[in-house]
Amino acid sequence: MDLAFDAPAAAGRQGGAMPRAVAPRAALRAVSADTALLRCVRAGRLQGHVHSVFERVVNVAAGDGELFTLACRSLDDAPHTARCDLAGWRGSGVRVGDPVVACAGGLRVGDAVRLDCGDAAPWDCVLPPYPAKPRAARANLQALRQALDAHRLQLLESGGAFEQLALRTVDQRLQRLADALRGGQAQSAVVHAQALLGLGPGLTPSGDDVLLGLFVVLHLPGSPCEGWLGGGAPVLAGAAGATHAISLAALHRAAEGRVRESVVVLLRELLHGGGGAALAAALDDVLAIGSSSGADIATGLACGLQLQLSEGTPS
Amino acid sequence: MSIQVLIRKNTYFDSVSLMALSTQANRVEGVSQAVVAMATEMNKGVLRDVGLYTDALDGAGSGDLVIAVRAASDADAARALTAIEALLQQGQRPARSGEVRHPALEGALRELPEANLAVVSVPGEFAAREARRALDAGLHVLLFSDNVALEDEVALKKLAHDRGLLLMGPDCGTAILGHVGLCFANAVRRGRIGIVAASGTGSQEISVRLHALGGGVSQLVGTGGRDLSEAVGGIMMIDGLRALAADPDTDVIVLVSKPPAKSVEARVLAEIPHCGKPVVVCFLGGSEAAVQQAGGHFARTTSAAALRAAALAGLPRTADAEGLVPDPAVVQEAAESLAPGQRYIRALMCGGTLCDEAMFLVREKTPEVFSNVAKSAEHRLDDAATSRAHTFIDFGDDAFTRGRPHPMIDPGLRLERLVQEARDPAVAVIVLDFILGWGAHEDPVGVTLPAIAQAQAIAGRAGRHLAIVGYVLGTDADRPALADQAGKLAAAGVLVAGSITHAALLARSIVEKGTQR
């Protein structure tokens, strides 16, 4: 893997020497990846450019408008995500705008990185089924609400005027959305949901994260509210300007019933678990997402579960 | 009152960073309110509601970052925005005094065009690239990063050799060049003895031994631990040796390494006749005959290497030179305090070469020696977390440092193991090294004392006495100072050794004496 210089004659060029193509410097390995993403990569059907670079995540905008993610191994599996065997992207040399192309069963990211996906373990989001007897789910939801109330109070108290107003507005609009859904007012529900898009602090605004949690619950197989709000897709129709690409990508996945693994685990504990330490641990993993994103996602889950339990009979 | 807004197009920070930025923005002098958020339509509405909206927001889109401030005056607001922008540039980490941050090498070189060395410390996957860029810029490189691919190391060292540059590393933690200590170097006297080392703590040990003997170091060139492997071929050790041979400030050269590959050892030794200066060779486990045949001076241990080099440099022999032999009274007392069944040494080491040297010395008396870094399979632990007979653990091995700091900086894993070993009724002696110097923990002994007390208490409750042998690698010019650290150990009931050689011999003597009873 050397930078080297062609002799002019060999390249048929006039004048000074020109550098040959540089092979990527760092060879990385994908530990696991979303099945759909793996299929595209291995078939060589993926091409795009680096959209954004963070310490633990690189987002890639694919040519078809989709966004996918290269995450560090400390993060959990997620839709459209490949988990890479490294601790952080700092010093990687990956830059916004770098071309990304699938080749030889992996990905080439600019001049900086070659990601081998050959041995990546495939991952799929498998939502837990809704329980036939949701007694445990009721108790677990109550525990979740108590934990969330304390957490959100902390967030409110630590925020300034903007954060406090934004978060209160999120809560109000979520309540209106839940009321509309409960009342069977589908159109009104879509409007209230759209009023949450892009609202609030954080890279992924709080309103987006709340909707993400709600959408996933509306996809639970066999649940009373399965398919309500169209699963979320009608909310996102025409939402391109309401929030930015990173948040929108996660929302679209949630509207398909796909979400990151830590959220799936929390859902499983909420619906089927015995509460206690296991539920607390699963909640902690979700609360650790972002700054308030985890709490907002859990708020959306709680809202959705409340709707499910209020509806009573599983479908 | 003034409200000003700054829009950064297509700018994304993760939520934790946004929150930190927001918090710091609100602390900027003159700011009564600051908001850092994504410029979505809904957020713009909230900004309007809290009175922070200006026309500048009209054209902002959902992928843009908005920074809005309210301050007492236009001047205050403008100053605040400048300060917040600086925070954005720095990634919210303000530079320490005298430190300048640049996101890439090019900027650093513009700032400091006279620089002739780069220290590279990024995750291993990206380190080779950065090292190459530094070599291409004509800089010597100290490659501190570990987990660098072997083929990258070979390519980088060949490139460095071709350009007459040093590529010290990877996994090189110590160098002293032009009397500037780099990374984990100790504060030692300037002198006439040069060191080339494929061993960080080995070179540190020799440098502090020389200092203790009244001598000093001209240059200390690190090569990285794999330099004397078959694949790398000793490229940097040979280049370093040649550089010291040509250095007018160096009269004696010391080479130190863990056990080298035989063919590479031969290649290095073949350089000795051409040096024109005495060369002391401390290749742990190496061949004395081969060194002598090459015209070098063989040293079995790092202490012996320092003694020999000091003598060759004409330094007077001092009382410290005699400190290698364990005090029989100390050995006797410690051995008598052992309970029946206590017969093993557990060495929990931060320094790789210190671990190797101690291991070799104990293996001279018994084959029952195991380690996570043993070269031979028969002496390698199946599970590094489970000790067996006499066990020597190098906590600086890549397996322990992948994704976490070196134990010299973060001793957490070693402290847990100390307590674990204290529970084993077969353990007689625990050996601990404490390494001082630039970049090391600010109080390596202090942070370990609670675990030492806990270990002693555990053994005591079980009716056992645990002999703990401690060695502090450092000088009184280091901070904290050697005397301070050694004093704390002694006050805690630890047997304080004067060198790693002494520590290993002391531990060995105690268990020998104990099993004879």
Side-chain angles (χ1 to χ4, degrees), chain B residues 394-437:
Chain B
D394 174 8
F395 283 93
D397 183 56
D398 282 0
F400 287 109
T401 61
R402 192 172 171 86
R404 16 170 357 128
H406 193 277
M408 282 159 65
I409 300 169
D410 175 6
L413 289 178
R414 188 168 87 147
L415 299 182
E416 288 169 14
R417 190 61 173 265
L418 173 54
V419 173
Q420 175 188 318
E421 297 294 351
R423 296 194 171 99
D424 185 344
V427 174
V429 183
I430 293 179
V431 180
L432 301 169
D433 59 350
F434 301 89
I435 301 171
L436 308 181

Side-chain angles (χ1 to χ4, degrees), chain A residues 25-26 91 197-198 200 203 291, chain B residues 15 19 40 42-43 125-126 129:
Chain A
R25 190 66 55 200
L197 285 170
L203 171 63
S291 174
Chain B
S15 294
M19 186 181 212
T40 61
M42 289 299 167
N43 280 347
E125 295 87 356
F126 314 121
R129 178 188 176 92

Side-chain angles (χ1 to χ4, degrees), chain B residues 26 36 69 94 119 124 143 154 164 167-168 176 200 226 243 254 322 328 335 342 388 391 403 424 447 476 492 495 513:
Chain B
N26 275 284
V36 182
V69 300
V119 176
L143 183 48
V154 174
L167 191 292
M168 296 177 282
I176 301 175
R226 286 190 305 217
V254 179
E322 311 302 332
Q342 282 186 274
R388 181 183 166 191
T391 293
D424 185 344
V447 76
D476 278 329
L495 301 173
K513 199 77 180 173

